[in-house]
Amino acid sequence: MMKIGTHYLNVSVYRSSLGDCTGGGISSRVTFPTLFFNCTRDMALKYCQDNGINPDDQLFLVERKLWGEDHFFAEPLVKPEDASKCNQMFGGNYVMTSDSRFPHQNGLVTAYPIPVHDRFEHCN
């Protein structure tokens, strides 16, 4: 459960009815991951370590500016070792929570399901 001042929320994965298009990504195998935001990856990894949480099954929120607007997507907290040789993309799944504080929690401003970019295609 979200506590004031922390930087994570438990979220639910909404999967595509077309089947797994993630190539085995986190959102294809984890139903209720933790979404970390407004913190560094190192802070999120330390939180996982301190609380006995598998970081390989958690998500990290990324914010980018596209066409002058804020856009959000979630990606694996821990990326594959060869991620630098891969193209990362949307795999068809989204995350969302019923927590009524979600749209404006600790600076997270989004009132829509967040796409999960957990599909990696190797481009060697």
Side-chain angles (χ1 to χ4, degrees):
M1 189 63 161
M2 180 69 186
K3 297 177 185 172
I4 300 300
T6 57
H7 306 285
Y8 64 90
L9 278 172
N10 296 325
V11 294
S12 298
V13 173
Y14 293 88
R15 294 185 176 95
S16 171
S17 62
L18 300 174
D20 179 28
C21 296
T22 69
I26 289 172
S27 64
S28 72
R29 64 179 193 278
V30 179
T31 303
F32 302 108
T34 299
L35 176 66
F36 290 92
F37 59 94
N38 284 352
C39 63
T40 65
R41 268 183 212 277
D42 288 340
M43 291 169 67
L45 290 167
K46 179 158 180 22
Y47 177 85
C48 289
Q49 180 183 21
D50 291 349
N51 291 282
I53 297 169
N54 181 358
D56 294 327
D57 291 341
Q58 312 314 317
L59 297 170
F60 190 77
L61 188 74
V62 176
E63 178 183 353
R64 344 184 310 193
K65 289 269 188 202
L66 293 173
W67 307 285
E69 295 181 13
D70 292 335
H71 289 268
F72 297 91
F73 65 90
E75 66 180 21
L77 177 59
V78 177
K79 294 184 182 182
E81 285 183 29
D82 59 351
S84 64
K85 299 177 184 175
C86 302
N87 292 318
Q88 181 178 345
M89 62 197 73
F90 177 58
N93 298 335
Y94 295 85
V95 292
M96 188 64 179
T97 181
S98 61
D99 189 320
S100 63
R101 300 168 296 170
F102 185 56
H104 300 285
Q105 184 62 48
N106 288 337
L108 176 62
V109 181
T110 178
Y112 51 85
I114 297 172
V116 180
H117 289 211
D118 61 345
R119 179 182 175 91
F120 292 89
E121 289 187 356
H122 298 277
C123 52
N124 297 334

